[in-house]
Amino acid sequence: MALTVSSRSVRLAVLAGAGVLAATAVYAVTDHADASEGQAPPAAAATAGHRTTAPATTPTGPAAPSATPSAAQAPPAVAEKAAPATTPAARATGAAGEKALAATRVTARQLPDRTAQKWKELAPPSTRQPGPEFQLNECVTVRGATGWQQQGFISAHKTPAVQDSLGFPDAASARAAYRAVLAGMKDCEATSRALQKRYGLAADARVRQTATAGEAAAWSRTWTAVQGLSAPGAQANHIYAVRRGSVLVLLHFDEWDSAAPRSYDPKGDADVLAGLTR
């Protein structure tokens, strides 16, 4: 997958600055680059920083991704050129905005399936200025955020979890962004299957909503993923979205079949949402 610098902010991109473990959390884009897009050079991830983006063009030919994602090691250029935790542009949100983002932060102990996953924080939370578009996954794009705080976690299986808190000018804007997430996830099964077909894979994606609570919702997606915003291969993705005042809280974690058997029961998602809304 080619990496470029533009205005679109991608959910996991900033973790490239966190070092060796972060290579897993950015889905190992340099080690599992899609054959149709070309191998991304190590310098691409280092220079792109938190503005690293998804490909600007649609893949032009079918290419079956590797079926076995692994816990990749970050190339030296990524580990040596770590991005700062806070950039001057991030301060544009103002003290009140940063405080609102920080209030939504979860800890490793609050993450789902923590007994089996043994979550650990990758680095201190990173506060940055978002671009015009924030891409959560293949199905959801959020627009209009004015503040962004991200916290990355790594499991004992070297699989990632990421919390993104997006600040908006007011509650109405955050509510509109939350509804955009609902709309994108409603069509996510069809979107995911269309992507699989484009890459010559069996259209096995299944998406279901697992819990709701006011302006909060959770989903589970099981599929054979296409390399890009996701790691390739069979997996389950767990997605959570909560609107808290003028902040949209997004939490995402993955179970990769190649890393470990799936251990999380989505019946626990109601409790996860309750924790995110407090």
Side-chain angles (χ1 to χ4, degrees):
M1 180 181 76
L3 299 182
T4 59
V5 180
S6 73
S7 61
R8 176 175 294 183
S9 301
V10 175
R11 177 173 55 87
L12 299 176
V14 304
L15 295 180
V20 174
L21 286 178
T24 302
V26 296
Y27 294 153
V29 291
T30 56
D31 282 8
H32 293 286
D34 187 279
S36 67
E37 292 292 328
Q39 182 83 7
T47 57
H50 74 286
R51 303 301 286 276
T52 301
T53 70
T57 58
T58 302
T60 56
S66 166
T68 312
S70 61
Q73 297 298 308
V78 174
E80 292 171 4
K81 297 185 179 181
T86 304
T87 66
R91 302 188 185 281
T93 57
E98 291 188 23
K99 184 176 180 180
L101 295 177
T104 66
R105 181 188 170 199
V106 299
T107 66
R109 291 182 59 84
Q110 293 174 280
L111 293 181
D113 202 25
R114 65 183 179 90
T115 300
Q117 303 293 339
K118 298 180 175 60
W119 297 108
K120 294 182 179 180
E121 293 183 3
L122 274 170
S126 174
T127 302
R128 298 175 182 273
Q129 187 71 17
E133 294 184 339
F134 177 90
Q135 196 161 354
L136 174 65
N137 55 23
E138 295 84 355
C139 306
V140 174
T141 299
V142 177
R143 298 175 177 85
T146 56
W148 176 21
Q149 180 173 278
Q150 183 178 79
Q151 176 69 64
F153 304 88
I154 195 80
S155 76
H157 310 300
K158 299 298 185 287
T159 54
V162 180
Q163 181 193 2
D164 291 291
S165 294
L166 300 175
F168 292 84
D170 49 47
S173 300
R175 182 176 293 111
Y178 172 73
R179 289 173 178 168
V181 175
L182 294 181
M185 289 307 300
K186 180 179 179 181
D187 297 330
C188 192
E189 183 169 293
T191 300
S192 301
R193 290 188 177 190
L195 185 61
Q196 288 177 310
K197 290 178 181 178
R198 190 184 311 161
Y199 276 77
L201 300 176
D204 63 1
R206 292 185 178 276
V207 178
R208 63 187 181 97
Q209 192 170 66
T210 54
T212 59
E215 289 183 291
W219 300 265
S220 174
R221 174 175 62 173
T222 58
W223 67 321
T224 303
V226 172
Q227 170 65 50
L229 292 175
S230 296
Q235 62 191 270
N237 310 136
H238 304 281
I239 303 107
Y240 308 85
V242 173
R243 203 260 317 174
R244 288 179 56 174
S246 62
V247 178
L248 175 64
V249 183
L250 303 170
L251 178 65
H252 183 288
F253 83 93
D254 300 324
E255 295 179 287
W256 297 338
D257 289 11
S258 64
R262 300 176 194 178
S263 58
Y264 181 63
D265 186 349
K267 290 180 180 179
D269 280 352
D271 291 335
V272 177
L273 290 182
L276 291 175
T277 55
R278 283 197 291 267

